[in-house]
Protein backbone atom coordinates (compact mmCIF):
# COMPACT_ATOMS: atom_id res chain seq x y z
CA UNK A 1 0.00 0.00 0.00
CA UNK A 2 1.23 3.48 -0.81
CA UNK A 3 1.93 5.60 2.21
CA UNK A 4 1.39 9.31 2.66
CA UNK A 5 3.04 11.12 -0.24
CA UNK A 6 4.40 14.63 0.11
CA UNK A 7 5.88 16.93 -2.50
CA UNK A 8 8.25 18.53 -2.98
CA UNK A 9 10.80 16.83 -0.71
CA UNK A 10 12.92 19.96 -0.62
CA UNK A 11 12.05 23.56 -1.34
CA UNK A 12 14.42 26.50 -1.32
CA UNK A 13 13.01 29.89 -2.09
CA UNK A 14 13.52 33.54 -1.35
CA UNK A 15 11.77 35.50 1.31
CA UNK A 16 8.47 36.92 0.15
CA UNK A 17 7.73 34.17 -2.33
CA UNK A 18 4.66 31.97 -2.16
CA UNK A 19 5.29 28.36 -1.14
CA UNK A 20 2.87 25.48 -1.69
CA UNK A 21 3.36 22.10 -0.05
CA UNK A 22 1.33 19.12 -1.21
CA UNK A 23 0.09 15.96 0.41
CA UNK A 24 -1.69 12.82 -0.73
CA UNK A 25 -3.03 10.85 2.25
CA UNK A 26 -3.45 7.10 2.43
CA UNK A 27 -6.55 6.00 0.58
CA UNK A 28 -9.46 5.45 2.94
CA UNK A 29 -8.08 7.63 5.70
CA UNK A 30 -10.53 10.29 6.80
CA UNK A 31 -8.23 12.45 8.93
CA UNK A 32 -5.36 14.54 7.61
CA UNK A 33 -2.89 16.49 9.72
CA UNK A 34 -0.21 19.06 8.92
CA UNK A 35 2.76 19.37 11.30
CA UNK A 36 5.86 21.51 11.46
CA UNK A 37 9.05 20.18 13.01
CA UNK A 38 11.57 22.51 14.61
CA UNK A 39 14.41 21.82 17.01
CA UNK A 40 12.91 24.00 19.73
CA UNK A 41 9.32 22.85 19.62
CA UNK A 42 9.47 19.40 18.09
CA UNK A 43 6.41 18.40 16.07
CA UNK A 44 3.71 21.05 16.21
CA UNK A 45 0.25 20.46 14.84
CA UNK A 46 -0.73 23.23 12.46
CA UNK A 47 -4.16 22.11 11.27
CA UNK A 48 -6.21 18.98 10.79
CA UNK A 49 -9.09 17.95 8.56
CA UNK A 50 -11.83 15.38 8.93
CA UNK A 51 -13.57 14.28 5.73
CA UNK A 52 -11.96 17.24 3.91
CA UNK A 53 -13.31 19.79 6.42
CA UNK A 54 -10.87 21.81 8.57
CA UNK A 55 -11.57 21.02 12.21
CA UNK A 56 -8.89 22.86 14.16
CA UNK A 57 -6.50 25.43 12.71
CA UNK A 58 -5.45 26.94 16.02
CA UNK A 59 -1.88 25.84 15.40
CA UNK A 60 -1.50 27.85 12.21
CA UNK A 61 1.05 30.47 13.21
CA UNK A 62 -0.19 33.43 11.19
CA UNK A 63 -2.56 34.49 8.45
CA UNK A 64 0.29 33.93 6.04
CA UNK A 65 -0.42 30.21 6.42
CA UNK A 66 -3.42 28.57 4.80
CA UNK A 67 -4.43 24.97 4.12
CA UNK A 68 -7.02 23.37 1.90
CA UNK A 69 -8.32 19.91 1.22
CA UNK A 70 -10.40 20.04 -1.96
CA UNK A 71 -10.95 16.27 -2.00
CA UNK A 72 -10.16 13.13 -0.03
CA UNK A 73 -6.89 12.49 -1.83
CA UNK A 74 -5.20 15.87 -1.83
CA UNK A 75 -4.28 18.69 0.52
CA UNK A 76 -2.11 21.78 0.28
CA UNK A 77 -0.37 23.98 2.80
CA UNK A 78 0.44 27.43 1.49
CA UNK A 79 2.65 30.15 2.92
CA UNK A 80 2.33 33.60 1.41
CA UNK A 81 4.49 35.60 1.82
CA UNK A 82 7.21 33.31 3.15
CA UNK A 83 9.73 34.42 5.77
CA UNK A 84 13.07 32.94 6.89
CA UNK A 85 11.54 31.86 10.23
CA UNK A 86 9.20 29.55 8.31
CA UNK A 87 12.18 27.35 7.49
CA UNK A 88 11.46 23.90 8.94
CA UNK A 89 10.41 20.40 7.97
CA UNK A 90 6.69 20.14 7.28
CA UNK A 91 4.99 16.79 7.67
CA UNK A 92 1.62 15.58 6.54
CA UNK A 93 -0.02 12.63 8.31
CA UNK A 94 -3.25 10.73 7.90
CA UNK A 95 -5.29 8.31 9.97
CA UNK A 96 -8.43 6.24 9.71
CA UNK A 97 -10.54 7.55 12.54
CA UNK A 98 -9.02 9.78 15.14
CA UNK A 99 -9.41 8.58 18.66
CA UNK A 100 -6.56 6.29 19.60
CA UNK A 101 -5.50 5.75 16.01
CA UNK A 102 -1.80 6.09 15.13
CA UNK A 103 -1.12 8.62 12.44
CA UNK A 104 0.87 7.66 9.36
CA UNK A 105 3.39 10.28 8.29
CA UNK A 106 4.82 11.25 4.95
CA UNK A 107 8.56 11.81 4.56
CA UNK A 108 8.18 15.57 4.91
CA UNK A 109 9.12 18.68 2.96
CA UNK A 110 12.28 20.44 4.04
CA UNK A 111 11.62 24.12 3.48
CA UNK A 112 14.37 26.73 3.42
CA UNK A 113 13.48 30.40 3.07
CA UNK A 114 16.49 32.56 2.23
CA UNK B 1 3.74 25.74 26.13
CA UNK B 2 5.02 22.19 25.76
CA UNK B 3 2.52 19.73 27.20
CA UNK B 4 4.78 16.80 26.37
CA UNK B 5 8.45 17.02 27.26
CA UNK B 6 11.45 14.89 26.45
CA UNK B 7 14.21 16.35 28.55
CA UNK B 8 17.05 14.26 27.14
CA UNK B 9 17.94 15.38 23.62
CA UNK B 10 20.29 12.44 23.15
CA UNK B 11 21.21 9.04 24.56
CA UNK B 12 24.03 6.62 23.76
CA UNK B 13 23.85 2.94 24.64
CA UNK B 14 26.03 -0.08 23.94
CA UNK B 15 24.60 -2.77 21.68
CA UNK B 16 22.85 -5.47 23.68
CA UNK B 17 22.13 -3.21 26.67
CA UNK B 18 18.85 -1.62 27.63
CA UNK B 19 17.81 1.78 26.24
CA UNK B 20 15.42 3.81 28.36
CA UNK B 21 13.79 6.86 26.86
CA UNK B 22 11.72 9.13 29.06
CA UNK B 23 8.81 11.46 28.53
CA UNK B 24 6.84 13.71 30.89
CA UNK B 25 3.47 15.32 30.32
CA UNK B 26 1.43 17.98 32.06
CA UNK B 27 -2.17 17.43 30.95
CA UNK B 28 -4.01 14.91 33.12
CA UNK B 29 -6.68 14.60 30.41
CA UNK B 30 -4.34 12.70 28.09
CA UNK B 31 -5.66 9.15 27.73
CA UNK B 32 -3.56 7.66 24.97
CA UNK B 33 0.19 7.68 24.52
CA UNK B 34 2.42 6.67 21.66
CA UNK B 35 6.05 6.39 20.67
CA UNK B 36 7.25 7.12 17.17
CA UNK B 37 10.65 6.40 15.64
CA UNK B 38 12.21 8.64 13.02
CA UNK B 39 15.15 8.02 10.73
CA UNK B 40 16.86 10.94 8.94
CA UNK B 41 15.03 12.21 5.87
CA UNK B 42 12.00 10.06 6.67
CA UNK B 43 8.74 10.69 8.45
CA UNK B 44 8.05 9.37 11.95
CA UNK B 45 6.74 5.81 12.06
CA UNK B 46 4.49 4.45 14.77
CA UNK B 47 6.25 2.14 17.20
CA UNK B 48 4.06 1.33 20.20
CA UNK B 49 1.16 2.79 22.14
CA UNK B 50 -0.53 2.52 25.52
CA UNK B 51 -3.94 3.47 26.81
CA UNK B 52 -4.26 5.29 30.12
CA UNK B 53 -6.11 2.31 31.59
CA UNK B 54 -2.91 0.28 31.41
CA UNK B 55 0.51 0.76 32.97
CA UNK B 56 2.52 -1.43 30.61
CA UNK B 57 2.43 -2.56 27.01
CA UNK B 58 4.95 -4.84 25.38
CA UNK B 59 5.77 -5.58 21.76
CA UNK B 60 8.83 -7.69 21.20
CA UNK B 61 11.90 -5.79 22.31
CA UNK B 62 9.87 -2.66 23.03
CA UNK B 63 7.98 -1.98 26.24
CA UNK B 64 6.19 1.20 27.20
CA UNK B 65 5.50 2.02 30.84
CA UNK B 66 2.98 4.59 32.03
CA UNK B 67 2.99 6.17 35.48
CA UNK B 68 -0.12 8.32 35.59
CA UNK B 69 0.47 9.68 39.08
CA UNK B 70 3.87 10.98 38.02
CA UNK B 71 2.65 11.91 34.52
CA UNK B 72 5.59 9.99 33.16
CA UNK B 73 6.04 7.67 30.21
CA UNK B 74 9.05 5.59 29.30
CA UNK B 75 10.13 3.35 26.44
CA UNK B 76 12.44 0.43 27.12
CA UNK B 77 14.32 -1.27 24.30
CA UNK B 78 15.92 -4.59 25.21
CA UNK B 79 18.31 -5.62 23.80
CA UNK B 80 19.31 -2.49 21.90
CA UNK B 81 20.53 -2.97 18.34
CA UNK B 82 22.42 -0.61 16.01
CA UNK B 83 19.32 -0.39 13.79
CA UNK B 84 17.48 1.19 16.70
CA UNK B 85 19.59 4.33 16.27
CA UNK B 86 17.03 7.01 15.45
CA UNK B 87 15.11 9.90 16.96
CA UNK B 88 12.24 8.81 19.20
CA UNK B 89 9.21 11.01 19.76
CA UNK B 90 6.63 10.47 22.44
CA UNK B 91 3.11 11.74 21.88
CA UNK B 92 -0.02 12.09 23.97
CA UNK B 93 -3.64 12.50 23.01
CA UNK B 94 -6.91 13.64 24.51
CA UNK B 95 -8.69 12.07 21.57
CA UNK B 96 -8.86 15.30 19.61
CA UNK B 97 -5.25 15.73 18.65
CA UNK B 98 -1.77 14.50 19.38
CA UNK B 99 0.88 16.49 21.21
CA UNK B 100 4.46 15.55 20.49
CA UNK B 101 7.66 15.96 22.45
CA UNK B 102 10.85 17.37 20.94
CA UNK B 103 12.45 13.96 20.49
CA UNK B 104 15.41 12.00 21.88
CA UNK B 105 18.18 10.93 19.54
CA UNK B 106 19.27 7.38 20.40
CA UNK B 107 22.64 6.06 19.27
CA UNK B 108 23.34 2.37 19.76
CA UNK B 109 27.06 1.73 19.67
CA UNK B 110 28.12 -1.61 18.14
Amino acid sequence: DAGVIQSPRHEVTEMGQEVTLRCKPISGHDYLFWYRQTMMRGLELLIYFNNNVPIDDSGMPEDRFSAKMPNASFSTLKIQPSEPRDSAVYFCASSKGQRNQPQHFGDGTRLSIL
Amino acid sequence: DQQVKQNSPSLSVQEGRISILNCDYTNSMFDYFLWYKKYPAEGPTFLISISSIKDKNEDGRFTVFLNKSAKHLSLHIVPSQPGDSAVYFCAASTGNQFYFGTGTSLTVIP
Side-chain angles (χ1 to χ4, degrees):
Chain A
D1 283 347
V4 175
I5 299 172
Q6 290 186 246
S7 65
R9 290 298 311 276
H10 303 274
E11 175 85 16
V12 180
T13 191
E14 291 188 348
M15 175 178 164
Q17 296 296 308
E18 179 179 288
V19 173
T20 299
L21 311 182
R22 297 173 175 80
C23 175
K24 177 178 168 56
I26 292 173
S27 177
H29 282 194
D30 53 351
Y31 280 85
L32 184 139
F33 306 82
W34 282 101
Y35 289 89
R36 178 170 67 176
Q37 183 190 6
T38 61
M39 292 294 290
M40 290 299 293
R41 300 181 66 85
L43 280 163
E44 295 177 276
L45 178 67
L46 300 177
I47 185 172
Y48 76 92
F49 295 82
N50 175 219
N51 291 324
N52 314 338
V53 176
I55 302 300
D56 186 348
D57 65 354
S58 59
M60 297 285 260
E62 298 173 34
D63 291 345
R64 299 183 295 106
F65 286 69
S66 63
K68 294 181 180 179
M69 192 166 186
N71 57 62
S73 59
F74 183 66
S75 177
T76 59
L77 178 67
K78 189 171 292 188
I79 308 172
Q80 166 63 19
S82 58
E83 296 183 4
R85 61 192 166 124
D86 302 331
S87 299
V89 182
Y90 290 81
F91 288 102
C92 175
S94 69
S95 67
K96 187 171 180 61
Q98 184 186 31
R99 175 162 278 280
N100 297 351
Q101 296 299 319
Q103 297 170 13
H104 300 261
F105 283 77
D107 285 338
T109 295
R110 181 172 294 276
L111 178 63
S112 297
I113 309 296
L114 306 176
Chain B
D1 208 15
Q2 286 286 123
Q3 297 193 50
V4 177
K5 297 180 182 178
Q6 294 177 257
N7 293 317
S8 297
S10 62
L11 175 69
S12 291
V13 171
Q14 289 286 338
E15 180 179 2
R17 306 294 292 269
I18 184 171
S19 295
I20 300 176
L21 297 95
N22 294 303
C23 179
D24 297 297
Y25 60 95
T26 57
N27 189 342
S28 59
M29 298 301 293
F30 288 143
D31 63 357
Y32 184 60
F33 304 87
L34 311 89
W35 283 94
Y36 279 81
K37 178 178 179 179
K38 184 184 179 305
Y39 291 118
E42 295 183 10
T45 55
F46 170 69
L47 190 57
I48 191 169
S49 63
I50 187 168
S51 164
S52 61
I53 62 173
K54 295 184 175 181
D55 55 17
K56 177 182 174 181
N57 188 27
E58 198 170 347
D59 183 1
R61 297 186 296 113
F62 302 91
T63 302
V64 56
F65 295 92
L66 176 62
N67 182 333
K68 289 189 293 292
S69 61
K71 294 190 178 69
H72 181 80
L73 186 71
S74 64
L75 174 68
H76 292 208
I77 306 173
V78 182
S80 301
Q81 298 174 354
D84 296 329
S85 297
V87 176
Y88 290 79
F89 290 95
C90 68
S93 170
T94 58
N96 292 320
Q97 58 179 272
F98 288 178
Y99 296 85
F100 284 83
T102 51
T104 296
S105 178
L106 172 67
T107 301
V108 179
I109 303 164

